[in-house]
Amino acid sequence: MLQDAQILAGWIPQQDREVRLLLDSARFEEAAELFDQVTATAPNAVEGAWNRATVLVHRALNAWRLGRIPTALELAAEGWSELDIDRPSGTAAAQAISMVGSLLDTIGHRSSALELMSRAVAVAREADDPGTLAHCLLRHAHALLFWAVARPEETDVHEQFSAAVKLYEEGLSLADSGLIRRGLLSGGARSLAGLGVTARAENRATEALQLSYEAEDWSSAALAMWVLSGIRHQQGELEEARTFGSRALDCAEKIRDRLLMTRLGLDLATICEQLGDPVGEAAALRRSLAASRSAVRLLQEGLGQALEQRRIAVQAQRSATAARAAAFRDSLTGLTNRFGLERQAPALLEQTLAQGRVPWLLLIDVDWFKDVNDDAGHTAGDIVLQEISQLLRQACRTDDLVCRWAGDEFVVLLVDTSEESQEAGPIVAERIRSTVDDHDWQLVLGHTPQPPTTSIGAAAGPTSLDHLFAAADIALYRAKQAGRNRVEVDRQPLDPGRQATT
């Protein structure tokens, strides 16, 4: 175990590596407790100078083995997104890409998994690090092996086993001890057995089994005993085959490898059937079926949790978007407010000028609004403002920005192209004025001697919002002085020092 603790020492923080070793030793409660400590701040928190992508993907594999599917998927996605897949280099990149491939293989996404693991091996070769290369070779070979065993009808089994043996052999030439060597020995033994190379397979499996028991490496032990069970089965030594098969299944159950449990249970049931042991056969089938159901249930629950987390995240995102939008929206009328106008206007003005059009700004003041409030009350005044907001929307064009500036003042920034831009301001302003003037206010105000009207100042020019506003304010002042309910246009060259006289 001490030697195994050095696996990934240069790329993964010590506590993350300890979680992995506890899982390999079937100490799941301790692993879960330590994983919670590691992720107490946040699952994706990585302190220090560690390679973030490598740490996150390794943590995703640990989360998956602990049955925390949503966390595993989240960590894997974030870690994968930080990898430079197009131009990967270095040992950390090789490890991270290989681990992403391993996780995809576990999920069942075989083509992408094999592509990534093959690329990881190539990157590890270029990095010239024997330990990293051996580790990447192990993951790639395991993927080929288990696919050949689990889906023989979908692949050329002999070709898969041969490719796996080649990778295992190269890995064994690089790893002389420890967890990686045990995995290479046991996996290589199973691939050799698949090719019918029985003597070499038995030797490798026996060596792997002895080393695995000493290190409490139940994953490699399960593989080694699976090989020995298969060999004894072929040799007709069914009693010994059953013993190895049962022990292999026990080891797989220790590490909660549900896919391996399912396979081993079926193999053990076949041996028991040939031995005339119906009780053992039934027990093996129950264990296999329980493992299969557990795997499906775990995945379903995990995906359900992931979906719920995604729903919550989308809901939170929508709430945040709505809150940001509300900050720039007038609560009474639903129009853009002053802050929204000030935020959007610079880009709209720039866009209008870039398209060769003249920007217009209309400053609108509701006439006799104080009288409405005094005579009919503030509630009626609010309704009048809401009605005028609707009338403004009707009179303006689709893309015009309509804003409640303050109190009974409104602003319209013209950016639509449905009229000639040289005269768009006066045309739209007059349409607004006549629409409000013709509106029937009796439902809101009853019989009033002076219904609301609008005075409008219009200004144009290739300038800023402040300068346009100042020019429109001067025009609005003229409209008020001329008797209200009219449109005035500021057509003079703009002097920033000009102001309306109040």
Side-chain angles (χ1 to χ4, degrees), residues 148-159:
V149 172
R151 305 286 180 87
E153 71 283 355
E154 297 181 17
T155 185
D156 184 330
V157 175
H158 187 276
E159 181 180 334

Side-chain angles (χ1 to χ4, degrees), residues 322-404:
R324 287 194 298 271
F328 301 105
R329 187 74 56 185
D330 178 59
S331 59
L332 177 64
T333 65
L335 298 177
T336 301
N337 62 17
R338 177 173 182 169
F339 299 112
L341 176 65
E342 291 174 341
R343 184 185 187 191
Q344 298 180 55
L348 290 173
L349 290 172
E350 182 179 348
Q351 175 185 334
T352 303
L353 291 170
Q355 294 174 349
R357 294 185 283 117
V358 178
W360 280 92
L361 185 141
L362 310 182
L363 182 57
I364 304 159
D365 186 81
V366 180
D367 302 325
W368 320 113
F369 187 70
K370 183 177 182 303
D371 294 343
V372 170
N373 276 333
D374 291 344
D375 295 342
H378 288 280
T379 300
D382 287 347
I383 295 174
V384 167
L385 292 177
Q386 291 171 336
E387 291 266 343
I388 288 179
S389 299
Q390 292 297 324
L391 296 174
L392 287 176
R393 288 193 180 99
Q394 295 171 17
C396 292
R397 292 89 54 83
T398 303
D399 294 330
D400 292 337
L401 180 60
V402 183
C403 160
R404 183 186 177 196

Side-chain angles (χ1 to χ4, degrees), residues 19 107 371:
V19 173
I107 296 171
D371 294 343

Side-chain angles (χ1 to χ4, degrees), residues 170-415:
E170 182 181 358
L172 284 170
S173 71
L174 301 171
D176 55 7
S177 61
L179 177 66
I180 296 176
R181 182 170 181 81
R182 294 194 299 272
L184 291 164
L185 283 169
S186 58
R190 182 63 185 86
S191 296
L192 288 167
L195 292 173
V197 188
T198 305
R200 283 179 62 196
E202 184 171 358
N203 290 337
R204 292 280 170 82
T206 302
E207 181 183 355
L209 182 58
Q210 180 180 353
L211 294 174
S212 298
Y213 266 122
E214 292 172 358
E216 296 184 349
D217 177 1
W218 306 122
S219 177
S220 296
L223 276 178
M225 285 188 285
W226 184 21
V227 174
L228 294 173
S229 176
I231 291 173
R232 295 294 178 267
H233 189 192
Q234 290 177 358
Q235 294 171 342
E237 299 176 14
L238 298 181
E239 292 283 354
E240 195 170 352
R242 179 174 59 183
T243 299
F244 278 124
S246 180
R247 291 176 181 173
L249 183 53
D250 290 340
C251 288
E253 288 176 340
K254 277 190 178 208
I255 58 174
R256 302 180 187 176
D257 188 331
R258 294 169 179 82
L259 296 179
L260 186 57
M261 289 158 57
T262 302
R263 180 72 261 171
L264 292 177
L266 293 174
D267 288 354
L268 179 59
T270 299
I271 294 169
C272 290
E273 180 189 12
Q274 294 178 7
L275 271 172
D277 177 10
V279 175
E281 179 187 1
L285 287 173
R286 281 197 299 271
R287 293 166 77 179
S288 177
L289 182 60
S292 178
R293 286 177 174 172
S294 177
V296 173
R297 183 172 60 253
L298 180 66
L299 188 58
Q300 288 174 335
E301 290 176 356
L303 292 176
Q305 293 168 9
L307 180 61
E308 176 64 11
Q309 289 184 6
R310 180 59 181 163
R311 183 192 67 79
I312 293 172
V314 169
Q315 189 176 46
Q317 185 178 27
R318 287 177 177 173
S319 297
T321 301
R324 287 194 298 271
F328 301 105
R329 187 74 56 185
D330 178 59
S331 59
L332 177 64
T333 65
L335 298 177
T336 301
N337 62 17
R338 177 173 182 169
F339 299 112
L341 176 65
E342 291 174 341
R343 184 185 187 191
Q344 298 180 55
L348 290 173
L349 290 172
E350 182 179 348
Q351 175 185 334
T352 303
L353 291 170
Q355 294 174 349
R357 294 185 283 117
V358 178
W360 280 92
L361 185 141
L362 310 182
L363 182 57
I364 304 159
D365 186 81
V366 180
D367 302 325
W368 320 113
F369 187 70
K370 183 177 182 303
D371 294 343
V372 170
N373 276 333
D374 291 344
D375 295 342
H378 288 280
T379 300
D382 287 347
I383 295 174
V384 167
L385 292 177
Q386 291 171 336
E387 291 266 343
I388 288 179
S389 299
Q390 292 297 324
L391 296 174
L392 287 176
R393 288 193 180 99
Q394 295 171 17
C396 292
R397 292 89 54 83
T398 303
D399 294 330
D400 292 337
L401 180 60
V402 183
C403 160
R404 183 186 177 196
W405 183 255
D408 60 345
E409 283 191 328
F410 296 83
V411 173
V412 177
L413 189 61
L414 305 182
V415 295

Side-chain angles (χ1 to χ4, degrees), residues 32-47:
E33 183 177 351
L34 183 55
F35 184 85
D36 289 337
Q37 293 177 20
V38 170
T39 59
T41 303
N44 63 350
V46 179
E47 299 179 356

Side-chain angles (χ1 to χ4, degrees), residues 53 57 76-77 79-89 93-101 104 112 115-117 119-120 123:
V57 175
W80 195 356
S81 68
E82 295 198 14
L83 283 170
D84 185 0
I85 295 293
D86 294 329
R87 295 180 299 276
S89 63
Q95 289 283 5
I97 295 171
S98 180
M99 285 187 285
V100 170
L104 289 177
S112 295
E115 180 182 349
L116 286 175
M117 285 189 276
R119 184 173 299 186
V123 174

